[in-house]
Amino acid sequence: MNTTKNELPAPEDRWWRYPLLWMVIAGPALVVVASFVTFWYAWQSPDSLVAEDYYRRGVEINKTLADKKLMPALAGRNHAATPAEAVPPPRREAAP
């Protein structure tokens, strides 16, 4: 008959003596420290790039970009709506 004993392994070292454990703990700990440093830096330095009238400037930029996006469509539409009599003939260059 086989007799097996269920013995608990003898404790070799304490948990803090394993280097792999510290590598696992170091990642999240560094992220927490970095987040506090980032928060402190953001709190101490003012953001001087934001203008007081940022909303008005943004609206003006959006209008300009929208106008530029529609330029080819407006040119094509206007050209198609122009009567044939009003279109100037193509320019021909003189032969040298």
Side-chain angles (χ1 to χ4, degrees):
M1 182 169 174
N2 265 344
T3 57
T4 58
K5 295 181 182 179
N6 291 334
E7 295 179 10
L8 294 174
E12 297 173 9
D13 281 337
R14 299 287 185 197
W15 64 271
W16 60 82
R17 296 197 186 247
Y18 292 100
L20 186 60
L21 175 74
W22 288 109
M23 287 177 58
V24 170
I25 293 174
L30 286 174
V31 169
V32 169
V33 170
S35 66
F36 280 115
V37 169
T38 303
F39 175 75
W40 175 81
Y41 181 71
W43 190 264
Q44 294 297 322
S45 61
D47 192 8
S48 60
L49 297 177
V50 178
E52 292 294 327
D53 58 344
Y54 70 93
Y55 186 77
R56 183 184 56 81
R57 289 184 183 184
V59 169
E60 289 175 5
I61 290 172
N62 287 341
K63 285 180 184 177
T64 304
L65 292 176
D67 290 344
K68 286 184 180 179
K69 186 192 304 185
L70 294 176
M71 282 179 120
L74 289 175
R77 184 180 68 210
N78 290 343
H79 178 69
T82 305
E85 302 84 38
V87 176
R91 245 179 17 183
R92 296 185 183 167
E93 295 189 23

